[in-house]
Amino acid sequence: MSTVNIDKILKRVQKPTRYSGGELNSVVKDPRDVDIRYAFVFPDTYEVGMSHLGMKILYHCLNLRPDTYCERVFAPWIDMEEEMRGANIPLFSIETRTPVREFDFVGVTLQYEMSYTNILNMLDLAGIPLLSRDRGEDAPFVNAGGPCAYNPEPLAEIFDFFTMGEGEEVIGELMDAYREWKAEGGKRIDYLKKIAKIEGIYVPCLYDVEYNKDGTLKSMTPNCPEAKPRIRKRIVENLDGIEYPDKFIVPFMDIVHDRASLEVFRGCVRGCRFCQAGMIYRPIREKSPDRLVKDAECLLASTGYEEISLSSLSTSDYTRFEELADRLLTLTEKEKVGLSLPSLRVDNFGLSLMERVQKVRKSGLTFAPEAGSQRMRDVINKNVSEEDLMRSVGLAFDGGWMTVKLYFMIGLPYETDEDIAGIARLAEKVVERYYASEKTNKRRAPSVNLSVAGFVPKPFTPFQWAGQDSMEALRRKQRLLKDEIKNRHVKYSYHQSDVSVLEGVFARGDRKLNQVLVRAFELGCKLDSWNECFSMDRWRQAFDDCGIDMDFYTRERSYDEIFPWDFVDIGVTKEFMMRENERAKAAVTTPHCRLKCSGCGAASLCADGRCSVYKEESSLRKIEELKNNG
Amino acid sequence: MDEERVLYDYYLIYEKTDNAKYISHLDFVRTYNRTMRRAGLPVAFSEGFNPHPLLSFALPLSVGYTSRCELLELKLTEELAEEEIRDRLNAVIPEGIRILSAHRGKSRMKKLRFARYIVTPERVPEDIGGFMALKETVIDKKTKSGVKDTDIRPDIREIRLLSNGRMEMILSAGSDRNLKPDVVVKAMNKYIPGYDSGDCEYHRSAIYDESMNEIN
Ligand code: SF4
Ligand code: SF4
């Protein structure tokens, strides 16, 4: 056991509290008292990683075990990396400054594709071999989880194993298996074979992959009896029954989300056809207001945070939203803290509640119509009508809000130029709505900000077969939209198109991409999600050097193609996604789970084969309500 | 401000050591506010659009400096015993920060004029007589209007070499005139022939008024 001395270099870097540790509520244990040391790695900077709820949850679960000490590791910023490399300081943990290579496990969370090169850079800084097959008996088990792990293949040669789905329960099983394996005195491969039997665990080296002549996948076959042909994701069915952190680490520096967040539910009842989160987290599982209020009280007392936020995919869909908001407001008013609701939908509840929520801040409201025309919104199954949007922004404008932000995507499947022009028309109507109202202050001008992203087809969505627009095609569409915007109160911002193409390549990538990643890392790619670090030229060179064509990955695919991620069973079936894609072509919408179950397959993940929306009393009541309202 | 509110003035003397030295002043303010909430102290908030706890600091501490004489003033809505305030805060404060004492009333922080620092360089200069005798000591220094060549000599009251390889400096401090010891060390490296301080540690050990009476 050793530790690194970083006192000298901390004096020379920006934002030293990214690395110095000692934050309130960080877990202090004596490493000599534990059997298992787990380094939880977030492959981006401290301020991004510390905002991530999943990390807080697993950190809490692992540290509840007396036999395990989980510590945090983040990607150093460029200046710190230079200092570390200059002084020969390996990547270390925040809590005890122990070199990461001395841990038993290195667990990485995969939140977005553009963090993949950071993983390689961090392994390199840690002195851990980049490829799984090069790691010796003493090396840590390098593993990954998180949403991007659902298509693990682009990283299959880098990680020793992957966890599919929610980690609270399976992480304990992995630790127990580790103790058993240690006691048995087995080899590295024995542990991997042992955990291959655990539901949700994928060990890539236990599978052989064959390709067709055209480069598509021919087969993926287990090469030992322990490996399962299909890996089923793990879910926690009853969220009230599991641990939630009663403490969050309170950072010194300002991080992206610096507040007490409550996880209201997992999954989403809506089935937007572009949305991976909406599919991979199915089915919906809600926490009770009792539990959430208790979580809130604990967190406020232990952190001193001045703000609570509710976290979920679509918070206002929570069945007992009014009750929860009311009880939380009673708490926050008493404690003089704020309550913020990120995915606010004004149409779901009255303005008076919203005013209570955002009493002080009238800064901005966001809406995500995602597409400009009704036809296109039907294609993507975004069940928001122009009327809904106008009612919502109208309420907001009348309530004193001046700025609204609207999110859209371009490059969607089955899109025409008229659909793109529709974005500009819709934005103009929002501006007109401001001037049409008697309640708004006409001496001030509203501002309507459009945030437009290029669509990226993701695995496990009804659009997983779709072609992705080339950079040229996207640029043409951006120009088209820009020319269509004639109202000066409408502002437009666009996400870099080459990043979305790369994101798409890795999202639907296969094992062949491992070498491209390694090459990109060698060429100096890192911190790719930071504009100041991203270089498309380096990436192009990496693909060229490996003789791999990006277009192969962005192309449209046929229904009979075997996908690299087909072996992962997320509950939702491929047949359902095909059905949904066909409905998209015909611009036919599909009702959400509470209106009607569409038999997506996710119910099979529940113990009794029924989704909670069809068994919990509060949900059933909501369904009645919805039916009565037509 | 609401005329009818009865508020109670207190001030705290606290230290910042070890890892806490990396916390910037701005981040410290946030950390401190959260500590007050955790301690459940009846903090008085400003009124208006965006209420924030009422407090003021004597002299912000630079990142990387340790100190045992930090001073801040706060207001409570109830009267509490000084020891209780100190103990309740210390029970929930992050490592490296410690309240040394709490006092009822206003502090004398408006009288602040000088601060005493202990500097630990890798090497001490053999003699500072020549340096102290300089008429002008011009060095580029961060000021309100950007980095400028500034004569810092008038703001050096005293420098002494201590026997343990350290230096003691008494320098101007406050919102009018303020000189930080790292700037002095930079000047020493420039003006003392052959001198190279190496990396230094900086510690603030006392603050004084015009007549060198300690403020605490
Ligand atoms: S509402 Fe639609 S976009 Fe949002 S999480 Fe649910 S499915 Fe995805
Ligand atoms: S099985 Fe039915 S209710 Fe359950 S997630 Fe799928 S569509 Fe929704």
Side-chain angles (χ1 to χ4, degrees), chain A residues 509-521:
Chain A
D510 55 19
R511 274 199 196 189
K512 287 176 275 179
L513 291 180
N514 282 268
Q515 44 167 324
V516 180
L517 269 180
V518 173
R519 185 67 193 133
F521 156 72

Side-chain angles (χ1 to χ4, degrees), chain B residues 109-146:
Chain B
M109 74 186 195
K110 292 219 164 60
K111 301 259 186 288
L112 174 69
R113 177 69 182 85
F114 297 106
R116 176 178 182 269
Y117 296 92
I118 303 294
V119 180
T120 316
E122 284 174 24
R123 286 164 293 276
V124 278
E126 274 164 34
D127 176 42
I128 52 166
F131 180 76
M132 294 303 286
L134 290 170
K135 269 224 170 65
E136 257 195 356
T137 315
V138 178
I139 193 88
D140 49 326
K141 181 184 169 224
K142 230 193 264 164
T143 65
K144 280 175 196 128
S145 46

Side-chain angles (χ1 to χ4, degrees), chain A residues 433-492:
Chain A
R433 174 63 186 74
Y434 182 86
Y435 287 107
S437 169
E438 284 166 14
K439 295 190 188 136
T440 52
N441 177 357
K442 304 296 178 312
R443 270 171 302 165
R444 293 177 61 198
S447 71
V448 175
N449 300 324
L450 305 186
S451 170
V452 181
F455 165 68
V456 178
K458 294 276 167 112
F460 301 108
T461 65
F463 290 161
Q464 62 179 344
W465 291 275
Q468 182 175 359
D469 270 352
S470 66
M471 293 178 216
E472 294 68 41
L474 278 176
R475 283 198 197 107
R476 187 190 70 82
K477 290 179 181 175
Q478 287 169 37
R479 274 195 306 274
L480 179 76
L481 176 53
K482 224 169 157 190
D483 293 344
E484 285 290 333
I485 298 172
K486 304 209 166 73
N487 191 306
R488 68 199 162 88
H489 301 306
V490 179
K491 308 244 158 17
Y492 161 87

Side-chain angles (χ1 to χ4, degrees), chain A residues 268-269 282-284 572 576 592-594 596-604 610-614:
Chain A
C268 178
V269 290
R282 279 187 180 208
I284 189 161
V572 180
F576 172 77
H592 65 67
C593 295
R594 284 196 188 107
K596 181 173 177 292
C597 169
S598 319
C600 75
S604 67
R610 277 192 311 158
C611 284
S612 63
V613 281
Y614 290 101

Side-chain angles (χ1 to χ4, degrees), chain B residues 28-47:
Chain B
F28 183 83
V29 176
R30 197 171 38 237
T31 299
Y32 173 78
N33 285 338
R34 289 174 181 167
T35 304
M36 294 285 277
R37 281 186 186 282
R38 290 193 295 272
L41 291 178
V43 191
F45 282 82
S46 66
E47 295 183 331

